[in-house]
Amino acid sequence: MSHITLIRHGQANTGARDEASYDRLSDLGHQQAAWLGKHLRATDSHHPRVYCGTLTRHIETASSMGCTDVVQDPRLNEMEYFTLAEAMRDQLGLAIPEEREGFVDHLPKVFAAWAKDEISEPYESWASFETRTQAALKEIAAGDGPALVVTSGGLIAMALRQAMGLDTAGMARLALAIMNTSMHRLFPIGGHLSPVLFNAVPHLEAPDRHFAQTHL
């Protein structure tokens, strides 16, 4: 097995309230990705394989990082949080927050309802999201050499849930903490992928870049 470094995409369109509008990087998102790419090159990080989802924000992040020969895999796409939130609102009366602070309570409720099949006819089941995440990472881990995977916070949280045996509440707490262009590493230990790095942003640690440590 090869180790995998998961990277969350750069800051997207934070003012969006639907999937299509959200799916593009902001100017800051492009800058975050460029800084990350420069950091990886400066530290001689060796990743002969690079993957990303097929969402615009994934592709733009990999491009701004300076990655080439990127393999796009739809299994690495994010869950459609806005779609799920709209279903929760319409079916269960849970209002969609207007500000970031509101999502701290909102996201765990959405995860819990989704995992328990309480959302009627979701666009994708929780079980499907679990299965495709596990299948994609298992396939990537079976390849030769370390891999970079540019994806989204929800998928990273799901991958860590599977690696650590977390419940949905624990997964929700992880998802809320994940920063844009942060790095998370899964390393093969005893035949299993285990987390050895979480939410690392060395490219944003300089004092004049603290403003770029964003969650949304």
Side-chain angles (χ1 to χ4, degrees), residues 1-54:
M1 297 176 72
S2 298
H3 79 250
I4 298 171
T5 300
L6 299 161
I7 295 172
R8 186 189 176 197
H9 61 79
Q11 184 190 64
N13 179 20
T14 58
R17 287 297 178 269
D18 62 78
E19 299 295 334
S21 299
Y22 180 71
D23 193 26
R24 64 176 185 273
L25 292 192
S26 66
D27 290 342
L28 177 58
H30 283 287
Q31 181 63 78
Q32 292 166 329
W35 280 332
L36 175 57
K38 185 176 181 179
H39 167 79
L40 292 174
R41 289 187 292 274
T43 55
D44 289 328
S45 296
H46 179 62
H47 296 95
R49 299 179 295 137
V50 182
Y51 301 81
C52 75
T54 60

Side-chain angles (χ1 to χ4, degrees), residues 30-159:
H30 283 287
Q31 181 63 78
Q32 292 166 329
W35 280 332
L36 175 57
K38 185 176 181 179
H39 167 79
L40 292 174
R41 289 187 292 274
T43 55
D44 289 328
S45 296
H46 179 62
H47 296 95
R49 299 179 295 137
V50 182
Y51 301 81
C52 75
T54 60
L55 297 176
T56 299
R57 59 189 183 273
H58 299 159
I59 297 167
E60 288 182 341
T61 298
S63 177
S64 289
M65 287 173 61
C67 298
T68 57
D69 298 322
V70 180
V71 177
Q72 296 180 23
D73 187 337
R75 294 176 299 175
L76 298 171
N77 286 351
E78 178 65 300
M79 58 185 180
E80 294 187 10
Y81 186 80
F82 288 117
T83 302
L84 293 168
E86 290 170 357
M88 286 282 288
R89 178 197 62 201
D90 297 343
Q91 297 174 25
L92 303 174
L94 182 65
I96 301 175
E98 295 294 329
E99 299 179 353
R100 179 184 181 275
E101 290 72 18
F103 285 98
V104 174
D105 291 325
H106 187 268
L107 186 144
K109 292 176 181 177
V110 172
F111 277 14
W114 190 25
K116 293 177 183 177
D117 294 324
E118 294 175 353
I119 301 175
S120 177
E121 299 182 354
Y123 78 98
E124 177 184 30
S125 70
W126 174 271
S128 173
F129 184 45
E130 280 190 305
T131 300
R132 67 174 168 90
T133 299
Q134 188 174 48
L137 296 184
K138 182 178 180 180
E139 185 177 307
I140 292 170
D144 294 328
L148 282 180
V149 175
V150 180
T151 180
S152 291
L155 189 136
I156 293 170
M158 176 59 82

